[in-house]
Amino acid sequence: MSNARDRMLARAAREIAPGMVVNLGIGLPTKVINHLSADFEVCLHTENGMSGIGPSLSPERADRNLIDAGGAYVSTVPGSAFFDSVTSFAMVRSGRLDLTMLGAFEVAANGDLANWKIPGKFSPGVGGGIELAQKARRVVVLTTHTDRAGNPKLKSECVLPLTARACVARIFTDMAVIDVGPNGFELVETAEGVTPTDVAAATDAPLVLPEMTPPTF
């Protein structure tokens, strides 16, 4: 795939193992579903009240009553279930999610996450992200490596209002796969055509580089 974003989404989809219960957050994460094969055994959860989610559909083909947390039309699979927000968040709070994939405005080198508010811009509120980030067994982030102005999103410390502290385990960007380790950001993989030096230059925090040339995606 030539598109950097599609390569990132496809790589993030490989983070999901068969049998997992996985929440896909608003924004880029909801698009991961289109990179999972139709016969892949996974239970996808959306906090607005559905588990067992099939591929996204166009408005012409969709049941207008079925949307994910980001408002995209989704389909059902055998075993799909529908429930109210109380039940949905009971699933989250009781630790039943193996994995959640969230978007981000900023991620700090210690795993702090800021993904709900940019001061001066409208925000509908922190929503379900604050609970997902704290209660899922594993939290990964999908985001562009820099914002539209070219400013790094991976930083020594977040300056935007936090969603949760020290929660992020792995970050997928259009440039790299980066783990949050005991020494901060650790480079795991690079995107095709991107060098470790490129990633380090676009990261506003020290980046631990592997001893060997990292694999590409």
Side-chain angles (χ1 to χ4, degrees):
M1 290 175 287
S2 60
N3 183 286
R5 189 180 76 163
D6 283 341
R7 289 201 304 272
M8 172 181 63
L9 292 169
R11 174 60 186 87
R14 285 161 39 203
E15 191 79 358
I16 300 173
M20 277 186 168
V21 179
V22 181
N23 176 277
L24 301 179
I26 295 172
L28 285 170
T30 60
K31 302 182 186 304
V32 169
I33 191 172
N34 297 318
H35 292 269
L36 297 172
S37 62
D39 60 350
F40 191 81
E41 294 184 358
V42 62
C43 180
L44 298 178
H45 166 274
T46 178
E47 61 265 32
N48 60 313
M50 184 176 174
S51 66
I53 300 171
S56 301
L57 298 176
S58 65
E60 296 77 24
R61 298 175 56 209
D63 178 338
R64 300 298 184 90
N65 294 307
L66 300 182
I67 60 171
D68 63 20
Y73 294 118
V74 293
S75 56
T76 58
V77 296
S80 293
F82 310 96
F83 32 80
D84 59 17
S85 292
V86 173
T87 302
S88 181
F89 278 94
M91 294 171 66
V92 175
R93 293 167 183 162
S94 58
R96 284 174 165 79
L97 298 182
D98 297 301
L99 175 70
T100 186
M101 295 184 164
L102 300 174
F105 297 138
E106 293 177 341
V107 182
N110 70 341
D112 288 353
L113 172 65
N115 76 346
W116 74 278
K117 179 67 174 178
I118 297 177
K121 294 187 177 181
F122 170 76
S123 169
V126 69
I130 190 169
E131 308 225 35
L132 291 165
Q134 293 182 71
K135 298 299 185 180
R137 296 172 187 170
R138 180 171 170 84
V139 177
V140 302
V141 159
L142 278 72
T143 184
T144 54
H145 209 94
T146 61
D147 64 20
R148 293 179 181 178
N151 301 309
K153 291 186 176 183
L154 278 60
K155 308 169 76 73
S156 295
E157 296 182 3
C158 293
V159 298
L160 295 174
L162 291 183
T163 305
R165 296 185 182 276
C167 61
V168 178
R170 172 166 283 189
I171 307 159
F172 298 93
T173 79
D174 49 342
M175 296 183 71
V177 179
I178 294 174
D179 280 348
V180 177
N183 297 313
F185 293 133
E186 300 174 353
L187 181 62
V188 178
E189 300 175 20
T190 58
E192 182 180 334
V194 177
T195 68
T197 301
D198 296 332
V199 180
T203 304
D204 189 27
L207 181 65
V208 180
L209 302 179
E211 294 182 3
M212 307 292 289
T213 301
T216 60
F217 63 91

